[in-house]
């Protein structure tokens, strides 16, 4: 990474920070919200202050050569601390233990940052280095110690977090907590990358101590992209368990909404005289799916007097004899009965006004045994299969497999 390309991931992280701001505002008392805020802010700031154009500008404005290196060290230390604190609170446990461990890591990070500042103030680094500060000043008194402290802390943090995440991911794999499990796997990869970053830096700095600059490219060319990718993956890993369930719910609602469409359209002649449900353009997918399932339920209620009990029982026996589970057999029987009723009504050319009676004879009506968004989505899929194949055998296979 060179030049202004540092600002691309910084912009993405800044957008995520802005999007999450309302949530941070309402849940600021939560240690997890504070930690996520620190992770997003520190990741974005790390890219911004690590960019060569920013380094040159900050050094010029402050009048202190290489002050940007100190700023980046402090920002990345805050990122590591935020990651550890979030992991501690995420993992949970006794409240007092969690609070003690959180304070311990914050205090340790504060000591490390204060030590950075002291060592940098005692050093003499007059020549500005935008990309190879670590290797150029590897043998400079006080800066040498600052670099070693930074890389050691970075290595230790990466090892601790990666190990904890790996152990927890193995536990959650058995519990089938998919979003959290995959978030932890991403974090293991992310901190593996940051560990590689620190090790490459150590190799390049160690080579300088040995009197050669042949390994400088490890620090200046290979390590920074690993750090950038690791920071981005760290953010994704921590946000995935938070955002994932919501995305999963939205995806499930969208699939159900789309799946219900064939049955919803087929039952349109039985919509009744009332006005259709009005959905705002800004309505969520969950509301849209719920509204469609409500309309289908109303239309099925109007269709109920036209359903044939004998057809339903025969269809259910047929489905059961072909290996369907009891639940799948009910879905198949309801879909087949609805399909037969609609075909009969269409063949008889029953006018819409007759198809939608104002008062339903409940003694003659057969109530549909399927309800709910997911149930009606399955019913619609089975109805569509029967309608498409024209044969209950073809429709049955989709439920029995």
């Amino acid at each position: 990474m060179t030049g202004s390309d540092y600002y691309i991931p910084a912009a993405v992280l800044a957008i995520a920070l802005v999007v999450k701001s309302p949530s941070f505002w309402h849940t600021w008392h939560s240690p997890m919200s504070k930690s996520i805020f620190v992770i997003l802010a520190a990741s974005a700031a790390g890219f911004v202050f690590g960019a060569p154009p920013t380094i040159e500008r900050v050094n010029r404005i402050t009048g202190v050569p290489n002050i940007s290196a100190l700023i980046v060290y402090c920002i990345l230390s805050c990122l590591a601390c935020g990651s550890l604190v979030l992991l501690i609170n995420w993992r949970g446990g006794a409240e007092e233990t969690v609070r003690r461990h959180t304070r311990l890591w914050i205090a340790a990070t504060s000591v490390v940052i204060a030590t950075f500042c002291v060592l940098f103030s005692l050093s003499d680094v007059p020549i500005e280095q935008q990309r190879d500060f670590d290797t150029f000043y590897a043998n400079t008194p006080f800066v040498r110690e600052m670099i070693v402290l930074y890389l050691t802390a970075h290595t230790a943090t990466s090892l601790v977090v990666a190990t904890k995440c790996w152990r927890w991911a193995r536990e959650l794999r058995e519990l089938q907590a998919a979003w959290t499990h995959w978030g932890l796997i991403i974090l293991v990869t992310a901190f593996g990358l940051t560990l590689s970053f620190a090790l490459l830096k150590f190799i390049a700095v160690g080579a300088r101590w040995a009197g050669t600059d042949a390994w400088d490219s490890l620090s200046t060319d290979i390590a920074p992209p690993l750090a950038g990718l690791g920071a981005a993956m760290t953010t994704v890993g921590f946000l995935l368990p938070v955002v994932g369930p919501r995305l999963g719910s939205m995806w499930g609602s969208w699939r159900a909404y789309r799946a219900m469409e064939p049955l919803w359209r087929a039952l349109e002649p039985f919509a009744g005289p009332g006005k259709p449900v009005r959905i705002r353009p800004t309505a969520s997918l969950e509301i849209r799916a719920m509204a469609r399932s409500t309309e289908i339920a109303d239309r099925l209620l109007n269709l109920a007097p036209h359903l044939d009990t004998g057809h339903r029982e025969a269809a259910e026996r047929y489905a059961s004899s072909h290996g369907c589970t009891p639940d799948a057999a009910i879905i198949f029987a309801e879909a087949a009965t609805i399909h037969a009723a609609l075909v009969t009504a269409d063949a008889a050319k029953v006018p819409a006004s007759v198809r939608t009676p104002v008062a339903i004879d409940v003694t003659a009506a057969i109530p549909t045994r399927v309800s709910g968004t997911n149930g009606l989505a399955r019913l619609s899929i089975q109805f569509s299969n029967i309608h498409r194949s024209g044969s209950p055998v073809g429709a049955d296979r989709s439920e029995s497999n």
Side-chain angles (χ1 to χ4, degrees):
M1 297 175 68
T2 58
S4 58
D5 53 355
Y6 279 79
Y7 298 125
I8 298 175
V12 174
L13 290 165
I15 292 172
L17 191 61
V18 171
V19 171
K20 291 287 294 180
S21 291
S23 174
F24 292 142
W25 177 262
H26 293 296
T27 60
W28 188 246
H29 62 281
S30 168
M32 293 186 68
S33 291
K34 294 178 182 178
S35 299
I36 293 175
F37 176 83
V38 169
I39 290 170
L40 287 173
S43 297
F47 283 112
V48 171
F49 285 95
T54 304
I55 292 174
E56 187 274 331
R57 193 167 292 113
V58 169
N59 291 339
R60 187 180 70 251
I61 292 173
T62 60
V64 180
N66 298 300
I67 188 68
S68 288
L70 175 62
I71 295 174
V72 171
Y73 281 12
C74 294
I75 289 172
L76 294 181
S77 297
C78 291
L79 173 60
C81 179
S83 301
L84 279 165
V85 170
L86 179 58
L87 187 62
I88 291 170
N89 285 273
W90 194 8
R91 180 67 162 139
E95 184 177 351
E96 185 57 36
T97 302
V98 170
R99 188 181 296 112
R100 185 174 65 254
H101 289 169
T102 298
R103 290 172 178 171
L104 176 64
W105 281 109
I106 293 175
T109 302
S110 300
V111 170
V112 169
I113 291 175
T115 305
F116 287 160
C117 295
V118 171
L119 291 172
F120 185 83
S121 65
L122 295 174
S123 65
D124 182 22
V125 286
I127 303 174
E128 181 181 87
Q129 299 296 320
Q130 296 184 4
R131 299 184 64 240
D132 55 354
F133 177 85
D134 299 323
T135 51
F136 188 85
Y137 288 110
N139 292 302
T140 301
F142 299 112
V143 172
R144 175 182 57 225
E145 287 76 15
M146 184 179 76
I147 293 171
V148 171
L149 175 61
Y150 162 66
L151 293 178
T152 301
H154 209 69
T155 302
T157 301
S158 299
L159 280 173
V160 170
V161 176
T163 302
K164 287 181 176 293
C165 289
W166 178 250
R167 289 176 179 172
W168 192 13
R170 292 181 63 184
E171 295 176 14
L172 292 180
R173 183 174 56 189
E174 305 299 329
L175 300 177
Q176 297 182 345
W179 289 110
T180 304
H181 171 76
W182 285 111
L184 290 168
I185 294 298
I186 292 174
L187 286 175
V188 171
T189 305
F191 282 95
L193 291 172
T194 58
L195 177 61
S196 300
F197 162 83
L199 294 177
L200 290 173
K201 287 274 188 180
F202 257 131
I203 293 172
V205 170
R208 281 285 186 145
W209 293 340
T212 178
D213 59 359
W215 298 88
D216 283 7
S217 61
L218 294 179
S219 176
T220 57
D221 299 325
I222 300 177
L226 293 178
L229 182 59
M233 292 186 68
T234 298
T235 304
V236 172
F238 278 122
L239 289 181
L240 186 62
V242 179
V243 179
R246 171 60 180 162
L247 293 177
S249 175
M250 292 173 61
W251 175 246
S253 297
W254 171 248
R255 291 184 62 187
Y257 179 81
R258 295 290 296 171
M260 286 186 287
E261 184 171 2
L263 182 59
W264 177 74
R265 291 194 179 280
L267 291 170
E268 195 167 1
F270 294 88
K275 294 183 178 179
V277 178
R278 297 290 183 182
I279 303 296
R280 293 180 301 171
T282 57
S284 67
L285 292 172
E286 289 87 350
I287 292 177
R288 291 177 183 275
M290 188 178 301
R292 178 161 284 185
S293 68
T294 301
E295 290 182 341
I296 290 176
D298 291 340
R299 295 174 184 186
L300 286 173
L301 185 63
N302 292 328
L303 179 69
H306 304 281
L307 301 178
D308 184 349
T309 305
H311 192 287
R312 170 194 277 177
E313 293 174 352
E316 189 168 352
R317 287 195 301 270
Y318 175 85
S320 298
S321 67
H322 281 74
C324 284
T325 63
D327 182 51
I330 290 175
I331 294 287
F332 173 78
E334 295 299 326
T337 306
I338 292 169
H339 181 265
L342 291 174
V343 170
T344 302
D346 186 64
K349 302 187 184 305
V350 180
S353 59
V354 178
R355 294 186 191 184
T356 311
V358 176
I360 296 175
D361 182 3
V362 295
T363 60
I366 308 175
T368 304
R369 294 173 294 174
V370 181
S371 61
T373 301
N374 293 330
L376 291 175
R378 290 180 61 199
L379 179 62
S380 180
I381 292 172
Q382 187 63 276
F383 172 84
S384 180
N385 290 337
I386 293 175
H387 180 72
R388 216 172 32 244
S389 66
S391 167
V393 176
D396 168 54
R397 286 172 182 166
S398 67
E399 283 288 346
S400 61
N401 290 339

